[in-house]
């Protein structure tokens, strides 16, 4: 059996939506996107880029946000995420096109 380790960004008041960019996920009228980006420093970015092998388990929404950005970005984090195995849980997607992605149906 493998371990499932959850890594998430959450503010002190419980916000998890759209930490990376102002327009990342305006679902439900959310207008405070990018709240976490100001804390992304060189240390954090290097640790993400150099993290040990892992796989990602993504829901449809996060997959769609990531797949719209990372395949078109450059640099060590983009390289790392683009080569990482991704498992996408969705009941609405018919296919996943981002490299190394597998759709989990049902």
């Amino acid at each position: 059996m493998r371990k499932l380790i959850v890594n998430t960004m959450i503010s002190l008041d419980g916000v998890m939506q759209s930490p990376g960019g102002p327009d990342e996920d305006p679902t439900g009228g959310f207008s405070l996107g990018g709240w976490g980006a100001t804390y992304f420093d060189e240390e954090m970015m290097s640790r993400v880029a150099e993290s040990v092998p892992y796989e990602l388990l993504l829901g449809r929404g996060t997959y769609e946000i990531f797949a719209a950005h990372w395949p078109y970005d450059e640099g060590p984090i983009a390289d790392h995420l683009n080569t990482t195995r991704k498992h996408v849980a969705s009941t609405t997607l018919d296919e996943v096109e981002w490299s190394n992605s597998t759709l989990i149906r049902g």
Side-chain angles (χ1 to χ4, degrees):
M1 180 171 293
R2 297 173 68 183
K3 289 183 182 180
L4 176 61
I5 299 170
V6 176
N7 180 352
T8 190
M9 294 180 194
I10 187 167
S11 69
L12 291 175
D13 59 350
V15 175
M16 295 177 70
Q17 185 173 349
S18 192
D23 300 319
E24 182 178 41
D25 181 9
T27 303
F30 187 71
S31 62
L32 301 174
W35 60 267
T38 57
Y39 302 104
F40 298 177
D41 62 7
E42 291 270 335
E43 177 71 17
M44 180 194 150
M45 300 307 267
S46 68
R47 288 186 181 260
V48 170
E50 298 169 4
S51 57
V52 296
Y54 65 95
E55 297 179 14
L56 293 173
L57 174 60
L58 304 169
R60 180 204 44 83
T62 303
Y63 169 80
E64 288 178 337
I65 291 168
F66 278 31
H69 174 79
W70 290 110
Y72 311 101
D73 201 354
E74 296 180 354
I77 293 178
D79 294 344
H80 191 64
L81 289 174
N82 289 325
T83 58
T84 295
R85 167 76 34 215
K86 295 163 280 287
H87 306 276
V88 183
S90 176
T91 58
T92 57
L93 291 176
D94 292 322
E95 62 182 6
V96 289
E97 296 181 6
W98 187 14
S99 65
N100 300 314
S101 294
T102 303
L103 182 58
I104 302 170
R105 300 172 194 254

